[in-house]
Amino acid sequence: KITKVACKLPPYEVEEIYTLEEVLQRVGWNITAFNLPAAWAVTQGEGVTVAVIDTGCDLDHPDLVGNLVPGKNFVDPSQPPEDDNQHGTHVAGTICALNKDIGMVGVAPMCKVMPIKVLNAMGGGNMTNVANGIIYAVDHGADIICMSLGCRRPVAEVHRAIQYADSKGIPVFVAAGNATKGNTYTKELFYPANYQETIAIGSIDESFNRSDFSNTGLELDFMAPGKKIFSTVPDNWYAFLSGTSQAGPFA
């Protein structure tokens, strides 16, 4: 018998929110600090599909619609993987927002995102759906899997799904998790970031220091920009969010 273990988004902070009409193209510090435009001369992510296992995605956002491929809704299989939170849309934009005159630009503006919804409007869900989402991504052509979610204990079915992805040569990037308020140094990553087969991502700020909310631990693999990241949110809007969730898609 499989017990459904609850999972959720790591805590994250929302700052200013902008409408489409208010935004000419903004290039976030996470793009300029690493001089990604120079890397785009070599590749902009062409031919790569990233499965974003999260709250879904705004399927009509003008900065995303040209780079989305069909995904799946595991919360309500009768519906498309539409984002009723905002988190998944923000992650997707960080990865693949189109490079045009308005809005923002993603890390790999010519790659594709496969939205897989496993979390509800409150950012909660269960690890059974996460495991099924990983398997779906592997079986439907994802080249990379990105997850910014987790729980505090291991779940065997999720670990098996990650091992399945690993056996197919598909890397799984996972947010390390955020320390609880007032605890600025946590030495244990959340699962599934804590599995050896995943690539666990912590957060740095604009000064390249560890963000005060970012978990650490022996299984931490990389640090990436996660503080005050500008990206897409539903209904043609944009926002600054902070958290290890924002670092995962950059890596």
Side-chain angles (χ1 to χ4, degrees):
K1 181 179 179 180
I2 294 176
T3 301
K4 290 187 176 181
V5 177
C7 64
K8 61 181 180 179
L9 297 172
Y12 61 95
E13 179 182 342
V14 183
E15 300 184 46
E16 300 100 320
I17 297 178
Y18 298 85
T19 66
L20 181 63
E21 290 75 17
E22 294 173 313
V23 179
L24 295 176
Q25 190 188 64
R26 289 180 177 235
V27 180
W29 74 267
N30 53 318
I31 302 294
T32 57
F34 292 88
N35 195 21
L36 289 185
W40 292 338
V42 179
T43 179
Q44 297 186 46
E46 301 94 325
V48 175
T49 297
V50 182
V52 174
I53 300 177
D54 208 292
T55 61
C57 185
D58 182 346
L59 304 178
D60 300 311
H61 198 293
D63 256 330
L64 302 177
V65 65
N67 275 341
L68 298 179
V69 300
K72 188 173 177 64
N73 185 338
F74 284 92
V75 176
D76 182 354
S78 69
Q79 298 297 317
E82 195 72 53
D83 187 5
D84 50 8
N85 178 276
Q86 69 178 3
H87 191 273
T89 302
H90 197 274
V91 169
T94 302
I95 296 170
C96 77
L98 295 160
N99 191 0
K100 50 191 180 59
D101 293 333
I102 60 172
M104 48 86 62
V105 59
V107 172
M110 293 184 71
C111 82
K112 304 298 182 185
V113 158
M114 177 189 300
I116 299 176
K117 182 176 177 64
V118 300
L119 302 176
N120 60 28
M122 302 301 293
N126 66 75
M127 287 305 230
T128 296
N129 283 345
V130 172
N132 290 336
I134 295 168
I135 293 168
Y136 178 91
V138 174
D139 291 343
H140 288 79
D143 300 295
I144 297 169
I145 293 173
C146 177
M147 293 189 289
S148 296
L149 50 79
C151 64
R152 292 189 177 274
R153 66 185 180 92
V155 180
E157 60 183 321
V158 174
H159 195 189
R160 287 193 295 269
I162 290 169
Q163 289 173 325
Y164 176 58
D166 186 59
S167 74
K168 300 294 184 179
I170 299 172
V172 181
F173 290 81
V174 188
N178 298 349
T180 56
K181 190 173 183 179
N183 179 3
T184 58
Y185 189 73
T186 301
K187 294 184 178 180
E188 183 176 353
L189 307 186
F190 290 170
Y191 289 91
N194 216 349
Y195 289 124
Q196 186 176 2
E197 296 88 352
T198 63
I199 301 169
I201 311 298
S203 172
I204 57 173
D205 61 22
E206 293 180 66
S207 299
F208 296 89
N209 296 318
R210 184 183 70 86
S211 302
D212 58 7
F213 52 75
S214 182
N215 285 359
T216 61
L218 293 177
E219 294 300 333
L220 186 66
D221 295 297
F222 295 103
M223 306 289 277
K227 179 69 173 179
K228 200 170 183 179
I229 303 302
F230 186 74
S231 188
T232 50
V233 291
D235 300 321
N236 300 346
W237 287 38
Y238 303 82
F240 288 98
L241 270 63
S242 297
T244 55
S245 293
Q246 281 57 63
F250 180 87

